[in-house]
Amino acid sequence: METLMSNWLNPVENTPEKYIFPANQRPGSQPFPVMNDIPLIDLQHPNPQHIIHQIIDACQRFGIFQVINHGIPGSLMEDTMAVMKGFFAGPAEHKASLYSTDLTKKCRIYSSTLNYDSEEVHYWRDNLTHHCYPLHDHIHLWPHHPPTYRQVVGAYAVETRKLMVRILETICEGLGLKPDYLEGEMTKTQLLSVNHHIPCPDPSLTLGMPQHTDPNLITILQQCSVPGLQVFRHHQWMDVPSDPTAFLVVPGLQLKVMSNGRFWSPIHRVMTHREEARTTIGTFLIPSNEIVIEPAGDSPAAYRGFTYAEFFKCFTRSNCDADTALTYFQTNSKSPTLLK
């Protein structure tokens, strides 16, 4: 069977065995509660202090929030989504040259996870990932098709970076830090990650993405009208409302460290959909490998300082479980084996 799901003949009538999870890991078909109280923050509110308070409160109590009036034109969001859908719907030969599970590749497409050949069960997704910053260093590696890909996504990458930097500046102000505290090496890498899920014959048997916590600094997600994202909250999985005009903001574990544990980075996963394909566009800011990440301020530190390279080494050795990797760097940690 073709590895990339976007190259399969649709519709898929039966779920392939390699995509069916063991009974105790399946999401099931029960209805899930909806996270109706997710904070919705208007970035054009006339009172800047109100915006700061809302964002800090959302980072501490929810670990996730949505922003509207964010400054990115709706037309650019729509054009970028259309380009991404066009890429995945395109001919197999346009994707073949980009296929790779090599983490060092600056632009790649793969299916399920980077461990496709060794994993026991596959996740129901294709993923396109590429670096975005500085734009001129990476744009020549991006897809040639659709023909407008580089022009449209290039503009989108510039605007999403501005938005994330603005949110980080607001967070810094709310924590009593200089607005540019998280600029430079702390936001050196910008990564765009697009997940594409084709319709699934039986969503109760499959998952679009595993449960995980984002290991980076901050994530913003452009969703589509098809639901699928879930957050683990109040000891249960909850559906996250899907608003294609807003950006969903997720503080990563590096912000949790920087806030000395005040912020929450939620566990989340992706469900599949029986009738419709689902495409989402994630943008990540990631520290450089060399910069030291540590709690800011004078409070007793909950974490010791570490470089992102050290963290990512623990991350990969803990089967990409970001929470487990972060535990190693707690000041009271007794788990010194992950770096050996």
Side-chain angles (χ1 to χ4, degrees):
M1 177 178 285
E2 164 71 49
T3 300
L4 291 176
M5 306 183 77
S6 53
N7 293 337
W8 293 3
L9 293 176
N10 284 315
V12 179
E13 295 184 358
N14 298 296
T15 308
E17 185 177 349
K18 284 290 290 184
Y19 292 82
I20 298 176
F21 278 82
N24 63 343
Q25 297 177 34
R26 297 173 191 171
S29 56
Q30 75 273 23
F32 293 92
V34 179
M35 190 176 172
N36 287 318
D37 58 348
I38 182 172
L40 182 65
I41 300 174
D42 183 351
L43 294 184
Q44 288 187 4
H45 191 280
N47 185 348
Q49 289 302 314
H50 179 73
I51 298 174
I52 292 172
H53 171 76
Q54 281 191 305
I55 289 180
I56 294 297
D57 182 67
C59 289
Q60 293 182 229
R61 296 200 300 122
F62 293 86
I64 192 171
F65 57 95
Q66 293 188 96
V67 293
I68 56 173
N69 292 323
H70 40 65
I72 299 181
S75 58
L76 179 58
M77 296 175 69
E78 292 171 2
D79 290 347
T80 305
M81 182 62 74
V83 163
M84 293 307 178
K85 290 180 178 179
F87 170 80
F88 284 104
E93 56 267 26
H94 289 170
K95 291 170 267 186
S97 63
L98 298 173
Y99 183 85
S100 178
T101 58
D102 183 355
L103 275 171
T104 65
K105 293 282 188 180
K106 300 297 184 181
C107 181
R108 64 185 183 274
I109 185 174
Y110 59 92
S111 193
S112 187
T113 73
L114 292 171
N115 299 316
Y116 183 91
D117 292 332
S118 60
E119 63 192 10
E120 294 184 7
V121 185
H122 301 318
Y123 292 92
W124 196 269
R125 72 149 181 175
D126 286 347
N127 177 269
L128 171 67
T129 294
H130 60 65
H131 288 238
C132 300
Y133 182 83
L135 188 62
H136 58 77
D137 285 351
H138 302 290
I139 196 169
H140 66 284
L141 302 172
W142 295 1
H144 290 282
H145 301 279
T148 58
Y149 187 98
R150 295 181 179 183
Q151 176 186 352
V152 171
V153 179
Y156 183 86
V158 170
E159 293 302 316
T160 50
R161 184 178 181 86
K162 289 179 183 177
L163 174 59
M164 288 188 289
V165 168
R166 178 184 175 187
I167 293 171
L168 289 174
E169 288 176 345
T170 303
I171 287 172
C172 288
E173 290 187 63
L175 294 176
L177 306 171
K178 293 182 179 179
D180 63 353
Y181 182 84
L182 291 173
E183 293 184 18
E185 292 296 303
M186 283 295 292
T187 54
K188 183 176 182 180
T189 299
Q190 180 182 348
L191 201 66
L192 182 140
S193 178
V194 187
N195 286 320
H196 180 71
H197 314 271
I198 66 173
C200 177
D202 191 345
S204 71
L205 304 177
T206 62
L207 281 171
M209 281 191 70
Q211 65 179 58
H212 65 285
T213 308
D214 286 358
N216 52 296
L217 186 68
I218 191 171
T219 302
I220 63 170
L221 181 70
Q222 179 180 337
Q223 300 197 83
C224 62
S225 58
V226 182
L229 181 65
Q230 293 187 326
V231 166
F232 195 74
R233 191 164 183 259
H234 300 315
H235 309 289
Q236 62 184 336
W237 287 106
M238 304 184 72
D239 290 331
V240 175
S242 188
D243 182 350
T245 66
F247 278 97
L248 190 73
V249 183
V250 183
L253 285 181
Q254 308 312 312
L255 270 182
K256 181 176 182 177
V257 172
M258 188 275 294
S259 69
N260 204 27
R262 289 173 59 185
F263 289 177
W264 179 46
S265 192
I267 299 172
H268 51 287
R269 69 180 185 184
V270 173
M271 300 283 286
T272 58
H273 197 277
R274 186 184 301 275
E275 299 173 354
E276 298 184 72
R278 181 175 183 270
T279 304
T280 58
I281 308 170
T283 309
F284 306 88
L285 286 184
I286 304 170
S288 70
N289 283 333
E290 299 78 19
I291 190 71
V292 175
I293 300 159
E294 58 189 351
D298 300 325
S299 301
Y303 303 93
R304 60 183 177 83
F306 56 86
T307 65
Y308 193 74
E310 289 178 302
F311 172 81
F312 205 78
K313 189 174 183 179
C314 288
F315 179 60
T316 55
R317 292 191 176 185
S318 59
N319 197 30
C320 295
D321 185 325
D323 280 315
T324 298
L326 188 59
T327 299
Y328 171 78
F329 298 101
Q330 292 177 346
T331 51
N332 61 354
S333 173
K334 297 181 181 179
S335 305
T337 59
L338 287 173
L339 280 176
K340 290 186 178 179

